[in-house]
Amino acid sequence: MTSCNPFTQPRNPAYKRYARRMAVSAVLYTGAIVAASSLLHKHSTASVGTIAIALLPGLAVLGMLWSIARLFLELDDEYLRMLEVRKAMIATGLTLAICSVWGILEIYTNVPRLPLFFVFPLWAVCLFAGMAANAWGTRGGAK
């Protein structure tokens, strides 16, 4: 069975670079969230400075997305690349489905609003569903 977990594929250099890039981006994301939360109030007046500080976590998210894109480009094994793309497609589909259905609920009912901030973390959680689908789909041989 082939896994697409970067932590179980230590010999593939593309996964090593991916894990290193994601770790750097995650540290930057965490630091940017802590900095923005401590420097800005929830409803700060929009200015060049407040917008710049508020955008810092977004830049770290872009770093994570770039890391994923680089992994797709650097994987020389087409099967592993297919598993990674399938995992991302499943996560994207689930995220779109959840956000679309929840958005409709927000329009017609009084359910709590889902801040857009949670879309990327939701997508990241949905990657686990993609990993599970890959693991289930590769049981007993490649499919």
Side-chain angles (χ1 to χ4, degrees), residues 25-128:
S25 294
V27 168
L28 291 175
Y29 179 77
T30 304
I33 288 290
V34 169
S37 297
S38 63
L39 294 173
L40 302 175
H41 300 288
K42 187 172 182 177
H43 297 290
S44 295
T45 304
S47 68
V48 173
T50 57
I51 289 173
I53 292 170
L55 286 177
L56 290 176
L59 292 175
V61 169
L62 293 179
M64 292 179 198
L65 293 172
W66 175 76
S67 298
I68 294 168
R70 292 299 309 167
L71 176 65
F72 293 163
L73 295 173
E74 292 177 354
L75 274 174
D76 52 1
D77 185 319
E78 292 179 12
Y79 179 70
L80 291 177
R81 185 180 311 130
M82 183 274 300
L83 290 175
E84 290 295 335
V85 169
R86 182 166 64 185
K87 182 174 74 176
M89 289 177 64
I90 289 170
T92 301
L94 284 173
T95 303
L96 286 172
I98 292 168
C99 290
S100 297
V101 170
W102 194 262
I104 291 169
L105 286 173
E106 284 182 1
I107 291 171
Y108 294 111
T109 68
N110 63 350
V111 296
R113 300 187 69 76
L114 177 67
L116 289 175
F117 167 80
F118 288 111
V119 172
F120 183 73
L122 175 64
W123 181 82
V125 169
C126 288
L127 285 174
F128 287 107

